[in-house]
Amino acid sequence: LARERGYGNITLTDKDKEALLKFKPMAEFKAALKQYSIDQIQEIFMYAVDNEIVDFHKSEYIKQNYGFDIATAVKNKVSAEED
């Protein structure tokens, strides 16, 4: 329920997003995401894509649980920049 409803009252800074994606252990990452609304998870996804942060396990978790595919989005972004 928390994932679907989200709490929405937690403000995520870029520093928070970076820490989640790069430094938090997987268990802490999963627990943190359960506190966020889908809009906040989308913000984390966009931050990852914009900054080309692809942690395989975290990317797969987001893809399987929320439908946002970081790895593919980053690949597409890099391909578009090369054109």
Side-chain angles (χ1 to χ4, degrees):
L1 271 177
R3 184 175 77 208
E4 294 169 2
R5 182 182 49 173
Y7 294 106
N9 61 351
I10 301 167
T11 302
L12 289 169
T13 65
D14 285 350
K15 191 172 185 175
D16 295 331
K17 295 171 198 170
E18 180 181 28
L20 267 173
L21 292 162
K22 286 185 171 182
F23 307 117
K24 292 278 184 197
M26 195 62 185
E28 287 181 40
F29 176 78
K30 289 179 181 180
L33 288 188
K34 290 178 183 176
Q35 300 177 50
Y36 302 141
S37 69
I38 195 69
D39 290 339
Q40 290 169 308
I41 293 168
Q42 187 172 12
E43 285 180 35
I44 294 166
F45 164 75
M46 293 305 298
Y47 182 86
V49 174
D50 290 345
N51 294 282
E52 299 177 13
I53 301 169
V54 182
D55 173 292
F56 176 77
H57 296 290
K58 292 176 182 176
S59 296
E60 282 298 305
Y61 181 81
I62 288 176
K63 179 180 173 182
Q64 294 194 0
N65 289 278
Y66 303 99
F68 299 115
D69 189 342
I70 294 171
T72 299
V74 168
K75 182 181 170 188
N76 292 342
K77 177 182 181 251
V78 171
S79 293
E81 289 172 354
E82 290 174 354
D83 290 343

